[in-house]
Amino acid sequence: IEFNPRPRPKDRMLFLSKTSWGVKNLKGAISICNRHQKTLWVAGGERPLTSRAQVLLKKLIGQDWRWVGSVNQSQKSKFLGMGSALIFPILWDEPFGIVMTEAMAAGTPVFAHARGSVPEVLSQFPDHLIHNENDWERVFQLTPKNPQTYRDWVRERFSQEVMTDCYLKLYQKRLDGESLSP
């Protein structure tokens, strides 16, 4: 993932996910950005008709709304460094959510519903967790940390080397007959 240490547009939120999956909550992301007067750039999957109308309307009134669409790895890397934050308003217990680590590797903070693996992935940034709808106002007022802080966190916890080492330790525990959970 390409790191972007440069300043980003202050009010440009990013959404990257399979837009056709209701649990990823594109509709919620649009609603959140509308309610808090933030712009939204969306990447991933097919564009639902209702979001197409929303994006067109926002562009007509001069707001910085974009539908990027499906992106390859190189485009995704650039996309994740173009906004002030990635919003991840999931409606399910996400098992990992790799897009969160990819965004932070680009230096972009992540604001996400505290479900599934999200609290663990964002454990260094508890003020970025959304517990209820009122939290969106609070997180949008935060001063993001230095982009390098997010990238360093990902390197320390989720680099290929760290993840490989963790998996090897788990496999060894199983080979030694140990349980992986109490």
Side-chain angles (χ1 to χ4, degrees):
I1 295 289
E2 189 175 312
F3 177 59
N4 178 7
R6 297 175 302 283
R8 293 107 185 280
K10 186 177 177 165
D11 288 336
R12 183 186 298 156
M13 300 296 116
L14 304 176
F15 180 90
L16 174 62
S17 194
K18 293 182 180 171
T19 56
S20 61
W21 288 13
V23 295
K24 298 295 186 166
N25 201 14
L26 172 59
K27 184 178 177 183
I30 291 170
S31 176
I32 290 161
C33 287
N34 283 342
R35 191 168 49 251
H36 297 282
Q37 300 169 343
K38 304 289 182 190
T39 61
L40 182 66
W41 282 26
V42 179
E46 299 173 11
R47 176 169 35 178
L49 182 59
T50 55
S51 64
R52 189 178 310 161
Q54 286 267 355
V55 170
L56 180 60
L57 176 63
K58 296 295 181 180
K59 281 185 177 181
L60 288 173
I61 61 174
Q63 290 186 345
D64 181 31
W65 279 63
R66 296 264 162 78
W67 183 274
V68 177
S70 295
V71 291
N72 63 31
Q73 190 62 33
S74 173
Q75 293 165 326
K76 175 172 52 170
S77 182
K78 287 183 176 103
F79 174 79
L80 289 171
M82 297 172 69
S84 57
L86 175 82
I87 60 172
F88 198 63
I90 55 170
L91 298 175
W92 73 313
D93 293 331
E94 182 81 43
F96 182 67
I98 195 165
V99 71
M100 293 185 291
T101 59
E102 290 172 328
M104 289 188 291
T108 303
V110 176
F111 300 136
H113 285 164
R115 297 193 61 168
S117 65
V118 172
E120 180 182 355
V121 174
L122 297 181
S123 63
Q124 183 69 23
F125 311 104
D127 54 345
H128 291 37
L129 295 172
I130 307 301
H131 298 282
N132 61 58
E133 289 308 306
N134 294 329
D135 284 347
W136 287 106
E137 184 68 37
R138 175 186 52 78
V139 299
F140 287 145
Q141 293 175 0
L142 286 175
T143 301
K145 314 218 180 336
N146 180 312
Q148 189 66 50
T149 302
Y150 297 108
R151 186 166 181 91
D152 290 346
W153 170 247
V154 169
R155 278 190 175 151
E156 291 167 17
R157 295 274 318 250
F158 302 106
S159 71
Q160 292 174 350
E161 295 79 14
V162 169
M163 296 295 290
T164 300
D165 187 50
C166 287
Y167 276 110
L168 289 173
K169 286 177 182 172
L170 288 172
Y171 292 144
Q172 190 59 54
K173 281 178 94 170
R174 288 302 298 142
L175 288 171
D176 293 342
E178 295 180 46
S179 174
L180 297 182
S181 62

